[in-house]
Amino acid sequence: MSTATTANRLSRRRTATVAVIAAAAVALAGCSSSSDEDTNVESFTIGIGTAPNSLDLARHFDANTMGYMSLFTEPLERLSGDGSLTPNLAEKVTQPSPQKIVYTIRSGVEFSNGKDLTAADVAWTIDHVTDASGGAQTASLTASVEGAKVTGDNEVTVSLSRPDPSARASLALVALVQDSEFAKANESELGQPSAVPVGTGPYVVTSSTAEAVELERNETYWGEDPLPEAITISFLGSDDTAQLAMGSGSVNGMVVGNPVTLPQYESVSGVTTYSTPALMSHYWSLDTTSKPFDDPHARRAVAHAVDRSGLMEAAFGDSASLLTALIPRDLLTPIASKAEVDDFLAELEPVEFDLDAARSELAQSRYPDGFELEVPVMAGSWSELTALNLQENLESLGITITTKSVTPQQWTEMVFSHDTAEMFPMSFSAAIPDPGLLRRVVSEEARTEPGGYNFADWAPADLQAPASSLQQATDDKVRFKAATAILTRISEEVPYIPLYQPDYTVVLGEGFTFTEAPTVIEMASGLWIQRLRGS
Amino acid sequence: MLIFLAKRLLAMIVTLFVVSVLIFSLLAMSPGSIVSTLVGTRPATPELITALENQYHVNDPFVVQYWHWLTNAVQGDLGNSVRTGEPVTTMVADRLPLTVQLAVYALLLVVTIGVPFGMIAGIRRGGTIDRVSSTVAIVAMSAPAFAVAILLIRVFGVWLGWFPVYGPGEGFVERVWHLTLPAFSLALAMTAVLLRQTRAATMHVMDQDYVTFAKARGVARIRILLPYALRNTALPIITATGVVLIVALSGTVLVERVFALQGVGTLMIDSVNNSDIPVVQGLALFVALLIIIVNLFVDLVGLALDARTRS
């Protein structure tokens, strides 16, 4: 569910009224073609936290950066937040067998340097973003891709090493097609300001500095031009600066980095907030193979002691929701109907905050007198808040929790080296709307393999087949059954304590609106620019 | 004079050597292996690991590693960023001009405001200007630069709309316009310090017998102020100015962050946050070199101004 709110120091009721009017206006705008006002937007400036390391996706893979990479280098298909795919540079896509994807490339498309788009460019791009040995950051998402070959004038065939139901969506997200000749000629510097990738998108990069990336309309673009003639992406670093920049009118939009600062943006006159649930989970991972969490009662005792609702506002303001299952609802809806998903989630019984229940669970455990734990936390984050909450709530039960502060870099190193603690704060985010990443928290291999998040060391034998189905089965029903089996067991045995699903939030200043709030996937795939309107 | 210069240059080389050892030790002291630190967030491919092992001679003793690093550094090769893969020298060279421009702009503000007001306050001790400037100076000294920056942005950027609130601007005029608020933020506390320093030096000079005699002889006020007072207060002021420039360079870290200026300060924060040790090493080396050069320059100016220092 997405939300859009306008904040200009109005009361909640007035704000709601304005939001309804705005929504009606947006709906009307959506029903009609772009107005004259819409076609006259000369420039649009959007702020983002930090500058990318590279403008080549294989060397810098994150959703915010993709939000403008996908404006000058386009995907074969555009991926939506609900998992649906829209033809783009590929006018037709078929899967003649579970291990083949065939792309028919749109003819008559030119790169911004005037060269024709060819099947060879597409094949090179797919090989480039799936090249694990070359260090492509996108390679882990496309591990099943063996290679791409030109199989016709306008045809590229991708071979998969195994059936992979998410391969097409993954390629839709990360295969941003580049001029292969330019890329090969500038291989070592590709993505740096001196060698910005050349694409076919609606915009072309005119300047790339540490402060900003500037885009201008690509005069040879094959599709319908988006609204702004020029776009500037400014790297503003802090939310304070961004909020002041929006107040001065020098920035028209901002991807909000810290949700707690959202009220600051909303205090700026004329600002509209667009929030959608991010495909992200924050949770605690409990090591089920070592004391004290080798006992499920001890795990449940700790889970009962977290005041999830009470802490949510302190950690995220109004920009998050409680997780019912370990993964967000939106990762299940692409493989089952919304009713099926909601019915399943309604049946799950998340462990509620109840200190009496915690005491009772602890008494039934092998550690009735309590235990001591050292918990790594990141200062100022949800992990610190929940750890301090547990520290206080569990003290009377004889459980002593001490916190150990770690930097985000140290946390990342702990995750990648699998050097985690008995109780570890974990966050993961799905690159595509698909439940496949559940395999990473439950499979035997995920205990040790790079990219595995099975820090609970919890791999029940009967869940290995469902985990494999999630990765390889092509039947949605089979995959949904596998996902629900895993999530149900997680809810019962509590190797992980699901906590929060944060929102992805973009704010727009006076003069701009979105016809519909873009999800993080729609931001990354470049669909957001099609929804931007001048007002 | 030449002997003095030779001594100072020798001291400069020794200082740089000590600093370089400390800076290189950053890599050895970072948690985990040297290679894992240098790999950073990049995928640890066998090719990358081999290249880094060869480049940093990780299997050699510390002294040999340092020697290789030093000889490369002297030739302008400080390695590559673990985040972007760009040469550190290029990154620092791209960012340094903006930081130096900001620091110099702030220094100009400090000197053009702090010295005249300090002198007037020193000459008219107890007068209105002295009382007002002393009070303002105390307030200014206790105001953190980042807080001043946010206040200035809100008033002059958001409410009045006179100045841009972020970014460096392009071209000379745009750059000056964009750097005005950051430079004022940076200069405020330092202006107060220099004003107090100048006031104290001026008061001391104005109490000297030669000034009293000059006044008694009916020497014009402007002559007393310039050749007598300014020249004799110049040495402590120049020394303080050197310190101000160094503080300005290091103070840019927070101000650049607030104004989204991608200078050396922002690069330092990003590099420390991402454990980009080669960049941190490069920045530390450049800043140390800059500080040593500023100190040498201050000493040379002091020599030129005051013959007593030449002995």
Side-chain angles (χ1 to χ4, degrees), chain A residues 7-20:
Chain A
N8 48 6
R9 300 192 189 91
L10 298 174
S11 66
R12 280 178 180 272
R13 180 174 293 179
R14 286 183 65 194
T15 306
T17 308
V18 171
V20 169

Side-chain angles (χ1 to χ4, degrees), chain A residues 281-318:
Chain A
S281 298
H282 294 308
Y283 61 93
W284 284 104
S285 179
L286 309 176
D287 185 350
T288 59
T289 58
S290 61
K291 292 178 182 176
F293 296 127
D294 53 353
D295 187 322
H297 290 294
R299 302 200 291 267
R300 294 185 72 83
V302 171
H304 274 301
V306 190
D307 183 4
R308 301 193 308 159
S309 309
L311 293 167
M312 190 164 69
E313 189 171 344
F316 300 98
D318 293 331

Side-chain angles (χ1 to χ4, degrees), chain A residues 394-411:
Chain A
L394 291 172
E395 193 179 8
S396 61
L397 276 65
I399 298 174
T400 306
I401 289 185
T402 50
T403 58
K404 179 190 171 191
S405 202
V406 296
T407 64
Q409 176 74 13
Q410 286 170 322
W411 179 86

Side-chain angles (χ1 to χ4, degrees), chain A residues 99-103 126 145-149 156-160 171:
Chain A
Q99 288 175 245
K100 295 269 183 225
I101 306 173
V102 179
Y103 293 98
I126 292 172
V145 175
E146 269 184 343
K149 280 188 180 160
V156 172
T157 301
V158 173
S159 304
L160 306 179
L171 285 174

Side-chain angles (χ1 to χ4, degrees), chain A residues 241-253:
Chain A
T241 307
Q243 183 248 322
L244 291 166
M246 286 206 77
S248 72
S250 49
V251 166
N252 308 117

